[in-house]
Amino acid sequence: MSPAAPISGIDKDSAEGFQQGDGFAGPGFGVSIQPALEEAQASLDAVEGLVVACSDDIYIRGPPEEALAAFLALKARCSTELGLELSIRKSKVFMRDIGALRTLMETTLAR
């Protein structure tokens, strides 16, 4: 694949970042995002939350307000330091109380 070849489903050329199929892409990504993941985990330690990542799949578990704050901080740091953009269409939030989730999202995103 040419370094400037289009990547199906992604609106960026492969010349931006790692080349598709590069054996160093996974480890390189992991090393680059590790400090941000550790910071997110540290912000959840007091509430026994958890940040787990496998490749570019990241899971955050904890009390809703703290988990959302950790997510927003992780998103901002990855954007600022690494130029990464969150794919909202691939993101999910799990919470038993949908009304509380809506309220949390509205109040947090209104700030």
Side-chain angles (χ1 to χ4, degrees), residues 29 33 37 40 51-60 71 74 78:
F29 178 79
I33 197 171
L37 294 172
V51 176
V52 177
C54 180
S55 190
D56 63 348
D57 296 327
I58 301 170
Y59 303 89
I60 299 174
F71 162 75
L74 177 65
C78 287

Side-chain angles (χ1 to χ4, degrees), residues 10-21:
I10 301 175
D11 64 348
K12 298 198 183 294
D13 291 338
S14 62
E16 297 179 39
F18 286 105
Q19 177 125 6
Q20 287 291 101

Side-chain angles (χ1 to χ4, degrees), residues 15-43:
E16 297 179 39
F18 286 105
Q19 177 125 6
Q20 287 291 101
D22 184 340
F24 292 109
F29 178 79
V31 167
S32 65
I33 197 171
Q34 186 66 28
L37 294 172
E38 290 175 357
E39 180 180 77
Q41 178 61 59
S43 74

Side-chain angles (χ1 to χ4, degrees), residues 36-95:
L37 294 172
E38 290 175 357
E39 180 180 77
Q41 178 61 59
S43 74
L44 293 172
D45 283 345
V47 294
E48 298 182 2
L50 185 64
V51 176
V52 177
C54 180
S55 190
D56 63 348
D57 296 327
I58 301 170
Y59 303 89
I60 299 174
R61 181 191 61 82
E65 289 185 15
E66 289 84 350
L68 182 57
F71 162 75
L72 292 173
L74 177 65
K75 177 180 179 285
R77 182 168 178 180
C78 287
S79 175
T80 302
E81 294 182 11
L82 303 172
L84 299 176
E85 296 176 28
L86 171 73
S87 177
I88 294 292
R89 62 185 174 83
K90 292 182 177 181
S91 301
K92 292 182 175 48
V93 175
F94 297 99
M95 193 167 156

Side-chain angles (χ1 to χ4, degrees), residues 62-65 93-105:
E65 289 185 15
V93 175
F94 297 99
M95 193 167 156
R96 291 186 185 131
D97 185 343
I98 298 300
L101 174 61
R102 285 189 183 119
T103 300
L104 177 63
M105 295 298 290

